[in-house]
Amino acid sequence: MRTILVVGGGYAGFYTAWKLEKKLRRDEARVVVVDPRPYMTYQPFLPEVLAGSVEARHAAVSQRRHLRKTTLISGSVVHVDHAHRTATIQPAEGPEFALAYDIIAVTAGAVTRQLGVPGIAESAIGMKHVEEAVAIRDRLLTNFDRASTLAPGPQREKLLTVTFVGGGFSGVEGFGELLSLATALTRLYPELSPADVRFHLVEARGRILPEVTDKPGQWVVRSLEKRGAQVHLNAQLVSATDGHVVLSDGQEFDSDLIVWTVGNAVNPMVRNHTDLPIDARGMLVVRADLRVGTDSEAIPDAWGAGDDAAVPDLAAGRPGVATVPNAQHAVRQGKLLAKNIVGSLRGREPKQYLHHSLGTVATLGLGRGIFQYKGIVIKGLPAWLMHRGYHVLAVPSWERKARVLAVWLTAAVFGRDIVSLASVQDPRRAFVTGGEPAAADHARSA
């Protein structure tokens, strides 16, 4: 029985393994997924995790619950020697070991891009994983508690200043949702006012949301500014040492919560530790049928999809254009990848990947959103409802759909839960000190 190795359990990898389980005949092949996390993160829900509109666990799809016929290895693939059909795996515990395979599907995904800005590595939080989204939310809630006990001054101002770096989709959605939560919190803290809260969005280009056209993007900027936010366009983060933010346009301010959403970088394993072909950016060279290789020559038994693969975008209508790294493509590529692998095992020719965009939809906070499909633009509450409707249908499994819907309905009646659990990041402190956690970590709910 042949072994199909799926490198990475994110969008593309999860859907590849999930569909392989359904399409493979008994004893036709075994599927092995290697990933350091035991779940797939449904990233479109991370902004709502920030705002408390979605439970953190509901944005994480358990691999063991849904991949019951797949061998799951908790660890990372650190090297691929496709010439000898061998992958080197570093498990979560224990020494490295070699795993032989017959077919490989490289869906390792991307990593957060860091630009070496002083202070970012020490003080910023990314927004690519559930843990990061929870940490951002807890930091904001805890800072409100701490600030409410302080007199007006630099320390209170720093605690109530939030900075997002990066004006792409994840940055703008996270910024809008967290701004919505902070605005709601000011009504529960009589010691604070909306004017005390400062939100900064920093973008190096002259516009945000590159996935939409200019006018909708400008409308989003105006909408955020009307809500009290400051959007810094054509500005770069120069330094963030000890939370002191310095921008290239000369502005400086202190910020206790800095969120880094600048974009993705190529997975180091794909770029540096495989004998499979990569392009100038370090991405896997993939054909339109998701086989690794060029149009003139495909590498046998090697496939790729997702954010680490330069999949040709046939819908663009011109050569040299690759699909953008987003959920729409990763999910559909994973499904087609499974179908093509099974087809190749049975002697069929693989099909090419072609997907025309369904449009772009983003949440900008509770009851606010924007949708664009070609020349059609919808703003405000209708777009926000479209965002929620689309993603509750798109999140995998009926179990997750039901859980998310239940949280939304509960929140509509009782409001969002605003309990901070920042103390879980140091769970032994109360036990070691023999007392309660520090006052700054106490939860405040309403």
Side-chain angles (χ1 to χ4, degrees), residues 108-115 128 260-271 281-283 307-309 325:
V111 297
T112 300
R113 181 173 62 183
Q114 297 188 21
L115 302 179
K128 196 173 180 63
W260 184 262
T261 63
V262 169
N264 295 329
V266 177
N267 192 294
M269 189 281 294
V270 175
R271 183 177 62 237
R281 297 172 296 167
M283 299 183 70
D307 293 354
D308 63 354

Side-chain angles (χ1 to χ4, degrees), residues 320-362:
V321 179
T323 57
V324 296
N326 63 22
Q328 280 192 39
H329 287 301
V331 169
R332 288 165 177 79
Q333 287 171 10
K335 292 178 179 179
L336 179 63
L337 181 53
K339 186 175 182 178
N340 281 350
I341 290 175
V342 173
S344 69
L345 290 174
R346 299 172 186 173
R348 297 196 298 265
E349 284 295 314
K351 295 183 178 180
Q352 293 188 327
Y353 177 74
L354 173 62
H355 172 63
H356 295 278
S357 175
L358 301 175
T360 299
V361 63

Side-chain angles (χ1 to χ4, degrees), residues 2-7 12-13 15-17 19-20 23-24 28-31 102-107 289-291 301-305 333-351:
R2 284 172 282 197
T3 296
I4 302 171
L5 172 61
V6 180
V7 181
Y15 274 93
T16 297
K19 295 301 179 181
L20 281 172
K23 293 179 179 296
L24 287 169
E28 188 172 17
R30 76 179 185 119
V31 181
D102 299 283
I103 299 170
I104 190 170
V106 181
T107 58
D289 59 12
L290 304 182
R291 287 185 289 180
D301 302 323
W303 305 77
Q333 287 171 10
K335 292 178 179 179
L336 179 63
L337 181 53
K339 186 175 182 178
N340 281 350
I341 290 175
V342 173
S344 69
L345 290 174
R346 299 172 186 173
R348 297 196 298 265
E349 284 295 314
K351 295 183 178 180

Side-chain angles (χ1 to χ4, degrees), residues 359-376:
T360 299
V361 63
T363 175
L364 303 174
L366 193 64
R368 300 177 175 91
I370 186 166
F371 167 82
Q372 181 175 17
Y373 176 70
K374 297 183 179 179
I376 302 172

Side-chain angles (χ1 to χ4, degrees), residues 34-277:
V34 181
D35 193 89
R37 287 180 169 81
Y39 57 82
M40 181 205 81
T41 302
Y42 190 73
Q43 291 183 343
F45 277 158
L46 292 187
E48 296 208 52
V49 173
L50 260 67
S53 299
V54 169
E55 287 290 331
R57 291 171 299 165
H58 300 167
V61 181
S62 169
Q63 293 173 355
R64 291 200 177 271
R65 183 182 183 94
H66 299 289
L67 303 179
R68 303 199 174 201
K69 301 177 185 177
T70 298
T71 299
L72 299 172
I73 298 178
S74 177
S76 302
V77 174
V78 295
H79 188 268
V80 172
D81 181 2
H82 189 65
H84 297 92
R85 303 296 195 275
T86 303
T88 303
I89 297 174
Q90 175 60 65
E93 297 289 339
E96 294 181 354
F97 64 90
L99 176 68
Y101 64 83
D102 299 283
I103 299 170
I104 190 170
V106 181
T107 58
V111 297
T112 300
R113 181 173 62 183
Q114 297 188 21
L115 302 179
V117 176
I120 283 297
E122 295 78 17
S123 58
I125 305 175
M127 209 183 83
K128 196 173 180 63
H129 302 291
V130 174
E131 306 96 308
E132 295 171 322
V134 172
I136 293 167
R137 178 174 178 269
D138 284 345
R139 174 75 69 84
L140 179 75
L141 294 172
T142 300
N143 282 0
F144 264 75
D145 281 332
R146 296 171 62 190
S148 67
T149 65
L150 295 174
Q155 182 59 26
R156 188 168 89 162
E157 184 174 318
K158 181 179 180 179
L159 289 171
L160 297 177
T161 300
V162 178
T163 305
F164 273 66
V165 185
F169 240 76
S170 61
V172 172
E173 287 193 310
F175 185 81
E177 285 287 350
L178 203 65
L179 176 60
S180 177
L181 173 61
T183 302
L185 286 175
T186 58
R187 295 193 290 268
L188 302 174
Y189 286 77
E191 307 90 346
L192 305 174
S193 71
D196 294 324
V197 181
R198 293 172 173 83
F199 269 67
H200 298 267
L201 176 62
V202 182
E203 170 54 47
R205 292 166 293 189
R207 53 166 298 179
I208 61 174
L209 291 179
E211 295 86 351
V212 303
T213 54
D214 288 344
K215 287 187 178 180
Q218 293 166 2
W219 176 85
V220 173
V221 171
R222 293 194 301 270
S223 174
L224 293 173
E225 290 177 339
K226 287 180 181 178
R227 294 161 60 188
Q230 297 183 52
V231 180
H232 306 268
L233 300 178
N234 295 310
Q236 297 180 356
L237 181 63
V238 176
S239 173
T241 304
D242 296 326
H244 183 69
V245 174
V246 180
L247 303 182
S248 60
D249 61 6
Q251 296 192 55
E252 299 185 26
F253 51 87
D254 290 331
S255 179
D256 189 70
L257 176 53
I258 302 173
V259 184
W260 184 262
T261 63
V262 169
N264 295 329
V266 177
N267 192 294
M269 189 281 294
V270 175
R271 183 177 62 237
N272 300 319
H273 303 291
T274 173
D275 57 352
L276 296 171

